[in-house]
Amino acid sequence: MEIWINPACSKCRSAISLLDAEGAEYTVRRYLEDVPSEAEIRAVLERLGLEPWDITRTREADAEELGLREWARDAGARDRWITALAEHPRLIQRPIITAEDGTALVARTDEAVTEAIARGKN
């Protein structure tokens, strides 16, 4: 299991604490320093079953500068969104946990973290 985090994020710190409390084995990826490529973002989106706009933090300063709220949210705009996430990783919702069963979750709640742990035990 891997968790994409920003150490400054309270939700990320909470997820890490819960993973530790449960004795889960995981790898930390500080995605602002180890920026995911477009291919990695596509792979995570596939695992999440989501579109790029679903994991985009549209209230970030970068989002405002890019005018993301005005961008189309359809198949034709998908690549543009993925490129924006790769070029501006602060826009990626966090934390994201890739579970052992091949799925992934945006783990902003304790329940989502617990679900990711359970997926690794199946």
Side-chain angles (χ1 to χ4, degrees):
M1 166 173 8
E2 181 177 76
I3 182 168
W4 291 10
I5 69 159
N6 172 353
C9 167
S10 63
K11 299 277 187 193
C12 294
R13 291 191 308 270
S14 177
I16 293 287
S17 293
L18 185 52
L19 289 170
D20 289 343
E22 294 292 325
E25 291 184 28
Y26 62 93
T27 303
V28 171
R29 179 171 188 170
R30 293 179 179 215
Y31 71 92
L32 296 179
E33 298 164 14
D34 182 9
V35 178
S37 67
E38 289 185 28
E40 289 173 308
I41 292 169
R42 287 178 199 287
V44 163
L45 287 168
E46 178 82 20
R47 292 175 80 166
L48 286 165
L50 297 174
E51 293 296 338
W53 45 85
D54 296 327
I55 66 162
T56 301
R57 299 170 54 86
T58 57
R59 294 189 178 152
E60 290 288 325
D62 289 350
E64 297 288 333
E65 288 176 25
L66 293 169
L68 284 182
R69 289 188 191 175
E70 310 305 319
W71 289 14
R73 295 177 182 218
D74 57 30
R78 192 171 198 270
D79 288 344
R80 183 180 186 199
W81 283 85
I82 291 170
T83 298
L85 292 173
E87 291 177 355
H88 306 276
R90 281 198 187 284
L91 297 176
I92 299 172
Q93 190 57 265
R94 59 192 183 247
I96 294 176
I97 297 177
T98 56
E100 293 296 322
D101 69 354
T103 63
L105 292 145
V106 177
R108 295 189 57 75
T109 65
D110 288 351
E111 293 78 18
V113 176
T114 302
E115 184 177 340
I117 293 167
R119 289 180 182 186
K121 293 179 180 176
N122 294 333

